[in-house]
Amino acid sequence: MSEELAWILWTVLGVVLIIAEVFTPGFVLLWFGVGALAAALASFLGAGLGAQFLIFIALSSLLTVLSRSIFVNYFGGGPEPEGLKTGAASLPGQVGTVVTSSRGALNEGAVKVFGSVWTAYPAEGEPPLEAGDRVVVESLRGASIYVRREGALPEWRAQELPRSVERE
């Protein structure tokens, strides 16, 4: 008699898991609910208890893995598009202001870029940093930046952009 009612238990489990998915952020319970409904169908068609569990586990796992890869590829979490830099990776080429002059053997100072203060060192061949100087971030190494005076911009940065047509 319990095998005759197994399809009802699988159906109830499937519906409960699908409804529970609405209240969870992970998007996993839905696939286990679908797996339970598939096991209910197998039970209704006369499959044995072992086959029902195998269908439930296999289908649920397969759907979870497939949806995970789809969501990562299409909804973020994958690699950033080429050319798009965020966070600290966007610092090279940005202009900042020296807030603490160089000191010590390494000429360590502090530079404010985008509202954040970074430990900064003059780039190779640059004189020590002076408070108030405008500098360009040349590179990022660890949690420190290496800067160059704004007047010493690299050639690609020093070129002026074309001006818009002035109104008469």
Side-chain angles (χ1 to χ4, degrees):
M1 174 144 174
S2 65
E3 285 193 23
E4 294 172 5
L5 297 178
W7 71 272
I8 295 174
L9 295 174
W10 281 115
T11 304
V12 169
L13 178 64
V15 170
V16 166
L17 288 172
I18 290 171
I19 291 172
E21 177 60 48
V22 174
F23 302 103
T24 61
F27 204 71
V28 173
L29 294 178
L30 174 68
W31 302 131
F32 284 93
V34 170
L37 292 177
L41 179 63
S43 175
F44 185 75
L45 295 175
L49 197 55
Q52 295 168 30
F53 274 105
L54 184 62
I55 290 170
F56 170 70
I57 291 170
L59 186 61
S60 300
S61 300
L62 179 68
L63 289 173
T64 301
V65 168
L66 290 176
S67 68
R68 168 103 173 105
S69 63
I70 289 170
F71 286 132
V72 166
N73 290 338
Y74 293 105
F75 297 113
E80 289 182 346
E82 276 189 48
L84 177 64
K85 295 181 180 176
T86 59
S90 68
L91 285 174
Q94 300 301 323
V95 176
T97 304
V98 177
V99 293
T100 304
S101 300
S102 292
R103 61 185 184 279
L106 298 176
N107 291 323
E108 177 181 327
V111 172
K112 189 173 193 175
V113 182
F114 286 133
S116 296
V117 178
W118 292 80
T119 300
Y121 300 94
E124 191 174 322
E126 284 287 306
L129 304 173
E130 296 293 330
D133 285 351
R134 304 265 301 160
V135 293
V136 176
V137 179
E138 187 174 272
S139 64
L140 173 72
R141 295 183 201 150
S144 301
I145 57 175
Y146 288 77
V147 297
R148 198 170 285 291
R149 295 280 187 293
E150 190 175 23
L153 289 173
E155 189 178 309
W156 63 269
R157 181 71 188 227
Q159 296 173 353
E160 283 190 40
L161 296 174
R163 294 184 181 193
S164 60
V165 179
E166 294 180 19
R167 293 183 187 173
E168 295 180 26

